Amino acid sequence: QVQLVESGGGSVQAGGALRLSCSASRNINSIYRMGWFRQAPGNEREWVASIALWSDNKYYADSVKGRFTVSQDNAKGTVHLQMTTLKPEDTGMYYCAAGFRPISRVPSRFTEANFDSWGRGTQVTVSS
C-alpha cells in the first residue's frame, strides 16, 4: 500500500500563498491519479484538485480554479499544490489522496470514492 505524507501547511493572511507537497512511497507506479481534498471544521471533506499521473491532465474544483495549481515531480514521487490568492474560506485540513483504479470517464467533480489511499493531512489557515 502506498504511503502519503503531506507537508507545507501553515498560517497566512488573505491574499497570500502556500505550496503543499505530498510525497508518495511504496508502489508509486501503481498510482493512476492523485488528488487534494480539504475539510473545514463542521464541514464534509471536499475535493480540491486532481492530477492524472500518466497524462498529466489536471482538474480543479470551481472554487479554486485560477488560484490553485497541481503539479507532479515524477522523479521524486511528489505532487504539489500551489495555492495563491488565498481566502479565509480556503482554511481547512488538506489531505492528499492516491487512486489505483483507472476510470472510464473523468467526472466533473471527483469524490473520495475515486481514491484509495490517504495521507494524514496538513493544516492551512487563512486569516482575513
Side-chain angles (χ1 to χ4, degrees):
Q1 187 78 327
V2 70
Q3 290 186 334
L4 304 172
V5 179
E6 303 95 336
S7 61
S11 297
V12 295
Q13 290 190 330
L18 282 173
R19 188 188 193 216
L20 306 183
S21 296
C22 175
S23 295
S25 61
R26 300 183 184 177
N27 301 321
I28 59 176
N29 290 331
S30 63
I31 301 174
Y32 277 86
R33 76 192 65 81
M34 293 187 72
W36 289 95
F37 287 72
R38 67 187 180 190
Q39 186 171 21
N43 291 353
E44 294 185 350
R45 189 152 55 180
E46 64 171 350
W47 170 69
V48 174
S50 298
I51 182 168
L53 298 190
W54 297 105
S55 65
D56 204 40
N57 288 335
K58 301 165 186 179
Y59 310 93
Y60 300 94
D62 288 342
S63 59
V64 306
K65 203 171 292 183
R67 300 188 298 121
F68 290 12
T69 303
V70 62
S71 62
Q72 61 176 315
D73 184 338
N74 287 336
K76 298 182 179 181
T78 301
V79 170
H80 304 286
L81 185 68
Q82 179 68 49
M83 307 186 294
T84 63
T85 319
L86 283 162
K87 305 175 181 180
E89 51 264 42
D90 294 318
T91 294
M93 185 70 76
Y94 281 68
Y95 298 91
C96 174
F100 304 119
R101 295 162 288 156
I103 52 177
S104 58
R105 184 175 181 179
V106 176
S108 59
R109 183 174 62 88
F110 286 83
T111 67
E112 295 184 22
N114 298 125
F115 298 89
D116 306 288
S117 290
W118 296 82
R120 293 188 174 186
T122 185
Q123 178 68 36
V124 171
T125 303
V126 185
S127 58
S128 58

